[in-house]
Structures are given as structure tokens and as C-alpha cells.
């Protein structure tokens, strides 16, 4: 049985472009994986606290759950059990929502999701055998076909860093501009096509 871990982060719980595109991804994923399970982490409802010095210090110890690591442990368990990770993110002020950044700060963790070799200063992602999809919606248009803020590249980079190298990205640009319905339709089609290619 395959598991999809879906992470949404728009604070718009209704009429959100990124959530609606993630709904479509989830529906198509389920068609391709009839015997499957979806784990849903909605950062618009369950807010992860900011990473503190106390919790970050605990990342480097071998102690258990009782030292502030509980949230990080739960989130990393979800990632480890997932076959596919789906992240949907709006662009807020040239970045991801701070709720998604707080999530990332709790799952990028030494000896859990990445390893570090002090002999040659190399880091290695520890989550293997998974794929991911990143859906980004923004009010503004792309510039010469490129992301104007780099949010897709950032999220792809984080996933690569923890070992998830197979990452598909989908952008819904210009949600605040005329023609947004057509651009949304085109993103939906790209999502469907991505499954048909595999
Ligand atoms: C607080 C805030 C900041 C925003 N900052 C940006 C921005 O920097 N660049 C941009 O293109 N759009 C920006 N937008 C517009 C959103 O990216 C756009 O409305 C997008 O569709 C939101 O995603 P959603 O539809 O999934 O909620 C911002 C919106 C809000 C509410």
C-alpha cells in the first residue's frame, strides 16, 4: 500500500489555488494508487511553532520525546512513512508562508533526514526511494518564464537536501491577474500529464 503525505500551507482554506491544485494532484494520485492512504498535514489549521534554540539543541542529542522534540519526531515519522510527498504553497512576500518554513525547520534534522560527514564536510539526504510534487501559486506573473521569487527552487532544494531527488514542480502564476482560470486549468493539465508520463 502506497502512502501520500500531503502538506498544504495556504491560510485560505477555501478558494485557494494551491489547495485546489493539490486536490487535483491527490485525486489523480489515488486513481493511480487504488490501494493507498493519504496522510494530511494542513498547516493552515495546525500551526508548527517557530524553531527555538531549545529544540534545535535537542536535535543534536540522542534523548527521547520529552525534550521538545515531539513535533519534529511526529513530522519526520510522517515523511519516513510516505512514498510520495505533496507540498502546496502560496507565495507570501517573496517566500513560502512562515508556517511552511516552520515545518521545514522541524524536519531538516541531522541524523534523521540528513547525515553529515565531518571528515570531508559532506551532507547526505537520508530519505530515499520517495518522490515529491511541489505546487506553488502566486499573484504575480512569471518573468521570462522563470519564477520571480525562487519558491519552487527553494522547496525543491530542501527536498533534495533530505534525499528526495525526484521532484516535480507546478506553478500557478498570475492568480491576481485576468486569465487566472485558464492558467489554473493549464496547471491541472500539467499535473494530469505528469502521471500519464510515468
Ligand atoms: C500576505 C500575502 C503576501 C503575498 N505576497 C506575494 C508575493 O510576494 N508575490 C506574489 O506573486 N504574490 C503574493 N501574494 C499573492 C498570493 O501569492 C496569491 O493570492 C496566491 O494565489 C495565494 O495562494 P492561494 O490561492 O493558494 O491561497 C501575497 C498574498 C498575501 C496574502
Amino acid at each position: 500500500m502506497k502512502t501520500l503525505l500531503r502538506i498544504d500551507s495556504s491560510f485560505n482554506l477555501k478558494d485557494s489555488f494551491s489547495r485546489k491544485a493539490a486536490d487535483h494532484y491527490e485525486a489523480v494520485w489515488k486513481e493511480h494508487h487504488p490501494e493507498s492512504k493519504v496522510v494530511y498535514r494542513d498547516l493552515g489549521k495546525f500551526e508548527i511553532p517557530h524553531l527555538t534554540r531549545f529544540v534545535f539543541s535537542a536535535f543534536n542529542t540522542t534523548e527521547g520525546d520529552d525534550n521538545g522534540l515531539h513535533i519534529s519526531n511526529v513530522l519526520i515519522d510522517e515523511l519516513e512513512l510516505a512514498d510520495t510527498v505533496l507540498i502546496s504553497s502560496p507565495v507570501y512576500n517573496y517566500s513560502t508562508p512562515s508556517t511552511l518554513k516552520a515545518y521545514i525547520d522541524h524536519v531538516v534534522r541531522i541524523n534523521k533526514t540528513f547525515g553529515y560527514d565531518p571528515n570531508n564536510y559532506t551532507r547526505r539526504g537520508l530519505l530515499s526511494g520517495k518522490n515529491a510534487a511541489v505546487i506553488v501559486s502566486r499573484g504575480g506573473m512569471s518573468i521570462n518564464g522563470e519564477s520571480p521569487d525562487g519558491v519552487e527552487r527553494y522547496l525543491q532544494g530542501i527536498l533534495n537536501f533530505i534525499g528526495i531527488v525526484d521532484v516535480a514542480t507546478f506553478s500557478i502564476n498570475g492568480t491576481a491577474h485576468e486569465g487566472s482560470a485558464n492558467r489554473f486549468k493549464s496547471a491541472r493539465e500539467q499535473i494530469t500529464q505528469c502521471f500519464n508520463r510515468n
Side-chain angles (χ1 to χ4, degrees):
M1 190 173 74
K2 296 282 184 190
T3 301
L4 172 72
L5 170 62
R6 171 173 170 179
I7 301 153
D8 284 345
S9 58
S10 173
F11 59 43
N12 284 324
L13 302 182
K14 275 204 237 162
D15 300 326
S16 148
F17 286 88
S18 58
R19 284 174 182 270
K20 280 190 280 182
D23 286 344
H24 180 63
Y25 185 98
E26 179 183 327
V28 184
W29 186 89
K30 280 181 183 160
E31 275 171 27
H32 283 75
H33 304 92
E35 298 278 311
S36 61
K37 181 176 154 194
V38 177
V39 175
Y40 193 19
R41 182 55 67 182
D42 190 342
L43 303 178
K45 291 183 185 161
F46 176 80
E47 287 183 17
I48 316 279
H50 289 300
L51 181 63
T52 60
R53 183 171 59 89
F54 175 69
V55 174
F56 183 70
S57 303
F59 282 1
N60 300 301
T61 69
T62 53
E63 289 159 40
D65 262 5
D66 54 349
N67 56 2
L69 290 178
H70 180 69
I71 290 175
S72 170
N73 288 342
V74 169
L75 300 177
I76 290 174
D77 284 350
E78 286 175 354
L79 271 175
E80 284 174 344
L81 290 172
D83 297 285
T84 301
V85 179
L86 166 63
I87 300 179
S88 78
S89 173
V91 174
Y92 291 161
N93 301 317
Y94 283 75
S95 186
T96 63
S98 55
T99 48
L100 180 54
K101 178 60 166 58
Y103 173 90
I104 289 166
D105 287 342
H106 280 80
V107 298
V108 177
R109 182 165 151 196
I110 194 156
N111 297 332
K112 283 280 203 179
T113 56
F114 75 94
Y116 176 63
D117 183 346
N119 294 319
N120 52 17
Y121 310 108
T122 52
R123 290 168 176 81
R124 187 170 61 87
L126 298 179
L127 299 181
S128 59
K130 303 177 194 302
N131 73 308
V134 165
I135 295 170
V136 175
S137 58
R138 60 172 60 78
M141 300 295 283
S142 61
I143 298 174
N144 299 326
E146 297 285 320
S147 164
D149 40 61
V151 168
E152 291 88 343
R153 200 171 53 248
Y154 166 66
L155 292 172
Q156 189 171 20
I158 288 289
L159 289 161
N160 291 170
F161 184 72
I162 60 177
I164 306 176
V165 291
D166 178 0
V167 183
T169 62
F170 305 95
S171 307
I172 309 154
N173 298 307
T175 63
H177 293 245
E178 202 176 317
S180 60
N182 279 341
R183 282 187 292 278
F184 177 71
K185 195 169 159 234
S186 152
R188 267 178 66 104
E189 282 163 9
Q190 282 170 29
I191 289 170
T192 309
Q193 279 162 18
C194 157
F195 281 91
N196 292 338
R197 274 199 302 273
N198 294 332

